[in-house]
Coordinates of all heavy atoms in Angstrom, one line a residue:
S279 N -8.4 3.4 2.5 CA -9.7 2.9 2.9 C -9.5 1.5 3.6 O -8.4 0.9 3.5 CB -10.5 2.7 1.7 OG -10.0 1.8 0.8
A280 N -10.5 1.1 4.2 CA -10.5 -0.2 4.9 C -10.2 -1.3 3.9 O -9.5 -2.3 4.2 CB -11.8 -0.5 5.6
E281 N -10.8 -1.2 2.7 CA -10.5 -2.2 1.6 C -9.0 -2.2 1.2 O -8.5 -3.3 1.0 CB -11.4 -1.9 0.4 CG -12.9 -2.2 0.7 CD -13.5 -1.0 1.5 OE1 -12.9 0.0 1.6 OE2 -14.7 -1.2 1.9
Q282 N -8.4 -1.1 1.1 CA -7.0 -1.0 0.7 C -6.2 -1.6 1.8 O -5.2 -2.4 1.5 CB -6.6 0.5 0.5 CG -7.1 1.0 -0.8 CD -6.7 2.5 -1.0 OE1 -7.1 3.3 -0.1 NE2 -6.0 2.8 -2.0
V283 N -6.5 -1.3 3.1 CA -5.6 -1.8 4.2 C -5.8 -3.3 4.2 O -4.8 -4.0 4.4 CB -6.1 -1.2 5.5 CG1 -5.4 -1.9 6.7 CG2 -5.9 0.3 5.5
D284 N -7.0 -3.9 4.0 CA -7.2 -5.3 4.0 C -6.4 -5.9 2.9 O -5.8 -7.0 3.0 CB -8.7 -5.6 3.9 CG -8.9 -7.1 3.9 OD1 -8.7 -7.8 4.9 OD2 -9.4 -7.6 2.8
W285 N -6.4 -5.3 1.7 CA -5.7 -5.8 0.5 C -4.2 -5.8 0.7 O -3.5 -6.8 0.4 CB -6.1 -5.0 -0.7 CG -5.5 -5.6 -2.0 CD1 -6.0 -6.7 -2.7 CD2 -4.3 -5.2 -2.7 NE1 -5.2 -6.9 -3.8 CE2 -4.1 -6.1 -3.8 CE3 -3.4 -4.2 -2.4 CZ2 -3.1 -5.9 -4.7 CZ3 -2.3 -4.0 -3.3 CH2 -2.1 -4.9 -4.4
F286 N -3.7 -4.8 1.3 CA -2.3 -4.7 1.6 C -1.9 -5.8 2.6 O -0.8 -6.4 2.5 CB -1.9 -3.3 2.3 CG -2.0 -2.2 1.4 CD1 -2.3 -0.9 1.8 CD2 -1.8 -2.3 0.0 CE1 -2.5 0.2 1.0 CE2 -1.9 -1.2 -0.9 CZ -2.3 0.0 -0.4
A287 N -2.7 -6.1 3.6 CA -2.4 -7.1 4.6 C -2.4 -8.5 4.0 O -1.7 -9.4 4.5 CB -3.4 -7.0 5.7
R288 N -3.1 -8.7 2.9 CA -3.1 -10.0 2.3 C -2.0 -10.2 1.3 O -1.8 -11.4 0.8 CB -4.5 -10.2 1.6 CG -5.6 -10.4 2.6 CD -6.9 -10.8 1.9 NE -7.6 -9.6 1.3 CZ -7.7 -9.3 0.0 NH1 -7.1 -10.1 -0.9 NH2 -8.3 -8.2 -0.4
Q289 N -1.2 -9.2 1.0 CA -0.1 -9.4 0.1 C 1.1 -10.0 0.7 O 1.4 -9.8 1.9 CB 0.3 -8.0 -0.5 CG -0.8 -7.3 -1.2 CD -1.5 -8.2 -2.3 OE1 -0.9 -8.7 -3.2 NE2 -2.8 -8.3 -2.1
P290 N 1.9 -10.8 0.0 CA 3.0 -11.5 0.6 C 4.2 -10.5 1.0 O 5.0 -10.9 1.8 CB 3.5 -12.5 -0.5 CG 3.0 -11.9 -1.8 CD 1.7 -11.2 -1.4
F291 N 4.2 -9.4 0.3 CA 5.3 -8.4 0.5 C 4.7 -7.0 0.8 O 3.6 -6.7 0.3 CB 6.2 -8.4 -0.7 CG 6.8 -9.7 -1.1 CD1 6.3 -10.3 -2.3 CD2 7.7 -10.4 -0.3 CE1 6.8 -11.5 -2.6 CE2 8.1 -11.6 -0.6 CZ 7.7 -12.2 -1.8
A292 N 5.5 -6.2 1.4 CA 5.0 -4.8 1.7 C 5.1 -3.8 0.5 O 4.8 -2.6 0.7 CB 5.7 -4.3 2.9
A293 N 5.7 -4.3 -0.6 CA 5.9 -3.4 -1.7 C 4.7 -2.7 -2.2 O 4.8 -1.5 -2.5 CB 6.6 -4.2 -2.9
A294 N 3.6 -3.4 -2.2 CA 2.4 -2.7 -2.8 C 2.0 -1.6 -1.9 O 1.6 -0.5 -2.4 CB 1.2 -3.8 -2.8
S295 N 2.0 -1.7 -0.6 CA 1.7 -0.6 0.3 C 2.7 0.5 0.2 O 2.3 1.7 0.3 CB 1.5 -1.1 1.8 OG 2.8 -1.6 2.2
Q296 N 3.9 0.2 0.0 CA 5.0 1.2 0.0 C 4.8 2.1 -1.3 O 5.1 3.3 -1.3 CB 6.4 0.6 0.0 CG 6.7 0.0 1.4 CD 6.7 1.1 2.5 OE1 7.5 2.0 2.5 NE2 5.8 1.0 3.3
L297 N 4.4 1.5 -2.4 CA 4.2 2.2 -3.6 C 2.9 3.1 -3.4 O 2.9 4.3 -3.9 CB 3.9 1.2 -4.8 CG 5.2 0.4 -5.2 CD1 4.8 -0.6 -6.3 CD2 6.3 1.4 -5.6
A298 N 2.0 2.7 -2.7 CA 0.8 3.5 -2.5 C 1.1 4.6 -1.6 O 0.6 5.8 -1.7 CB -0.3 2.6 -1.9
V299 N 2.0 4.4 -0.6 CA 2.5 5.5 0.3 C 3.2 6.5 -0.5 O 3.0 7.7 -0.2 CB 3.4 4.9 1.4 CG1 4.0 6.0 2.2 CG2 2.5 4.0 2.4
Y300 N 4.0 6.1 -1.4 CA 4.8 7.0 -2.2 C 3.8 7.9 -3.0 O 4.1 9.1 -3.1 CB 5.7 6.3 -3.2 CG 6.4 7.2 -4.2 CD1 7.5 8.0 -3.8 CD2 5.9 7.2 -5.5 CE1 8.1 8.8 -4.8 CE2 6.5 8.1 -6.4 CZ 7.6 8.9 -6.1 OH 8.1 9.7 -7.0
L301 N 2.8 7.3 -3.6 CA 1.8 8.1 -4.4 C 1.1 9.1 -3.5 O 0.9 10.2 -3.9 CB 0.8 7.2 -5.1 CG -0.2 7.8 -5.9 CD1 0.5 8.5 -7.1 CD2 -1.3 6.8 -6.4
A302 N 0.8 8.7 -2.3 CA 0.1 9.6 -1.3 C 1.0 10.7 -0.8 O 0.5 11.9 -0.6 CB -0.5 8.8 -0.2
N303 N 2.3 10.5 -0.6 CA 3.2 11.5 0.0 C 4.6 11.3 -0.6 O 5.5 10.7 0.1 CB 3.2 11.3 1.5 CG 3.7 12.6 2.2 OD1 4.5 13.3 1.6 ND2 3.3 12.8 3.4
P304 N 4.8 11.6 -1.9 CA 6.1 11.4 -2.5 C 7.3 12.1 -1.9 O 8.4 11.5 -1.8 CB 5.8 11.9 -4.0 CG 4.7 12.8 -3.9 CD 3.8 12.3 -2.7
A305 N 7.1 13.3 -1.4 CA 8.2 14.1 -0.9 C 8.8 13.5 0.4 O 10.0 13.3 0.6 CB 7.8 15.5 -0.6
L306 N 7.8 13.2 1.3 CA 8.3 12.6 2.6 C 8.8 11.2 2.4 O 9.8 10.8 3.0 CB 7.1 12.6 3.6 CG 7.4 12.2 5.0 CD1 8.4 13.2 5.6 CD2 6.1 12.2 5.9

């Protein structure tokens, strides 16, 4: 969502978004 993307952008590291990506598509 737009709120999630905005929250990821405000984080100092990309780890948060990468964990969310894993939950969304663990195999890939």
Side-chain angles (χ1 to χ4, degrees):
S279 64
E281 291 77 11
Q282 286 177 302
V283 173
D284 180 66
W285 185 80
F286 293 150
R288 287 186 281 106
Q289 301 309 303
F291 308 108
S295 64
Q296 289 301 291
L297 294 176
V299 170
Y300 172 78
L301 182 64
N303 200 334
L306 191 57

